[in-house]
């Protein structure tokens, strides 16, 4: 069996641990960090052949770096894509995708429930270069269909959405995109390939904020784009190597070590979140719990079909609006008040006054961001301790 055949037969956890590392002459077991800006050629002819592309190999770390390459190969096989390019942040991954695949006159059709900075990038910056974006409700396939234009080149979404955990039908939206000659881009940050593989469902591109679950311990900022050899391996990579918002070798090393435990961590995040969601539903001070693993969730059936588990993020609405939500958050002793998610440490936010604070009252209402809404990114502490902290905080409002 060739090395390639052996790797192709591996399951996800094995790929996440074993893919991409070509051991050096030192015989190291853990992947090395190559902190070098450039690489040496054996001769003038070799330098010329590398530069012309006739011969593969490293030239300069803005283009390629062996440590970054291990991370890219691992994430590519985990998502089931032929190519992956690593970026300096999740936002850099989205920018590189847009710069690589769009031109002036093109139109983006996006879910309205996306990361705030992504909306800013589309509205305030891409618009200056002649790319227009319009927004539709994530779960309304007829709205997506009705908003398609002749110039629509990209469909963009996150699923589950933040903070209401709404679920998009990836296969249906991929089909819609392809009937119109457009591409579907999925931000797979909340699920990771451990829970959902959008490329298998027909999406063309997956983007990641590696900052979240891929790292998993809140240490580094990074991102990635995964897809086929032409769209990602050539077009997006071309932007990256020229524009230079590449991932540093150190950060790549942190993320590739994070991938090794991704499946294990995601399973534990999901178990804790599911237990917490079920418990929150029984609490008198809680009006509504949003978690796709609950029977009360409007897309519970789609979630079960599309995802391996329901994820580590939930939100809930307390009676008493902002005042109650803020006093609950302030009473927490274990959970951290911070916007990051996908960390071993559980985190809590009040979306209406932070991540979604720039929206007007009408926009918040349309998006379902109530003043009493609280988001929890459930970490890996003992579930009894997480529950006890929320119980004592709920008792005070
Ligand atoms: C955090 C986040 C991003 C942006 O990633 P950065 O690494 O912070 O640049 C994009 N999409 C989603 C869903 C995120 O949660």
């Amino acid at each position: 069996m060739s090395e390639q055949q052996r790797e192709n037969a591996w399951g996800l956890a094995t790929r996440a641990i074993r893919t991409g590392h070509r051991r050096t002459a030192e015989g190291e077991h853990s992947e090395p960090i190559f902190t070098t800006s450039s690489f040496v050629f054996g001769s003038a002819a070799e330098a010329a052949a590398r530069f012309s592309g006739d011969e593969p190999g490293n030239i300069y770390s803005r283009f390629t770096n062996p440590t970054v390459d291990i991370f890219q190969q691992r994430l590519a096989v985990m998502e089931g894509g032929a190519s992956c390019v690593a970026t300096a942040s999740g936002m850099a991954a989205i920018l590189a995708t847009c710069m690589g695949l769009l031109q002036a006159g093109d139109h983006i059709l996006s879910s309205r429930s996306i990361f705030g900075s992504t909306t800013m990038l589309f509205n305030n910056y891409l618009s200056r270069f002649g790319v227009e974006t319009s927004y539709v409700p994530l779960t309304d396939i007829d709205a997506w269909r009705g908003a398609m234009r002749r110039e629509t080149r990209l469909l963009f979404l996150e699923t589950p959405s933040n903070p209401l955990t709404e679920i998009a039908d990836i296969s249906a939206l991929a089909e819609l995109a392809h009937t119109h000659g457009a591409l579907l881009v999925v931000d797979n940050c909340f699920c990771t390939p451990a829970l959902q593989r959008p490329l298998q469902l027909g999406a063309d591109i997956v983007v990641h904020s590696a900052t979240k679950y891929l790292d998993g311990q809140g240490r580094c900022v990074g991102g990635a784009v995964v897809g086929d050899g032409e769209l990602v391996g050539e077009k997006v990579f071309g932007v990256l190597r020229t524009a230079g918002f590449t991932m540093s070798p150190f950060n790549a090393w942190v993320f590739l070590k994070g991938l090794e435990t991704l499946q294990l961590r995601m399973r534990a995040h999901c178990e804790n979140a599911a237990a917490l969601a079920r418990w929150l539903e029984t609490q008198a001070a809680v009006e509504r719990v949003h978690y796709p693993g609950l029977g009360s969730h409007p897309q519970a059936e789609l979630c079960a079909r599309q995802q391996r588990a329901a994820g580590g993020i939930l939100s809930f609405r307390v009676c008493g609006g902002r005042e109650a939500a803020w006093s609950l958050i302030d009473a927490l002793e274990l959970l951290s008040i911070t916007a990051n998610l996908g960390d071993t440490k559980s985190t809590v936010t009040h979306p209406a006054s932070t991540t979604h604070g720039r929206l007007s009252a009408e926009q918040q209402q349309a998006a379902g961001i109530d003043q009493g809404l609280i988001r929890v990114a459930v970490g890996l502490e003992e579930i009894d301790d997480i529950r006890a902290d929320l119980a004592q905080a709920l008792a005070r409002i």
Side-chain angles (χ1 to χ4, degrees), residues 159-161 164-167 190-192 194-196 213 266-267 269-275 277-278 290-295 297 299-315 376 378:
T159 178
S161 70
L164 295 177
T165 72
E166 292 177 310
I167 311 256
F190 274 33
C191 275
T192 83
L195 302 186
Q196 166 173 286
Y213 288 108
M266 290 312 291
R267 204 177 297 148
H269 279 293
C270 292
E271 273 172 22
N272 272 0
R278 284 194 299 269
H290 302 271
Y291 183 66
L294 294 173
H297 191 284
Q299 291 105 32
E301 188 268 330
L302 174 59
C303 172
R305 186 152 38 92
Q306 185 166 277
Q307 298 179 204
R308 196 185 268 198
I313 293 161
L314 58 82
S315 60
V376 181
V378 186

Side-chain angles (χ1 to χ4, degrees), residues 121-137:
L121 177 70
F122 291 167
N123 291 354
N124 300 358
Y125 297 98
L126 291 186
S127 60
R128 293 188 352 211
F129 298 89
V131 173
E132 204 186 311
T133 306
S134 51
Y135 298 91
V136 284

Side-chain angles (χ1 to χ4, degrees), residues 235-270:
K235 293 188 169 160
V236 177
F237 175 63
V239 172
L240 248 290
R241 61 172 277 157
T242 306
F245 31 93
T246 40
M247 180 182 283
S248 83
F250 177 79
N251 287 6
W253 182 81
V254 171
F255 296 134
L256 72 88
K257 297 313 269 183
L259 290 181
E260 294 183 7
T261 56
L262 181 67
Q263 233 184 335
L264 206 58
R265 286 185 287 105
M266 290 312 291
R267 204 177 297 148
H269 279 293
C270 292

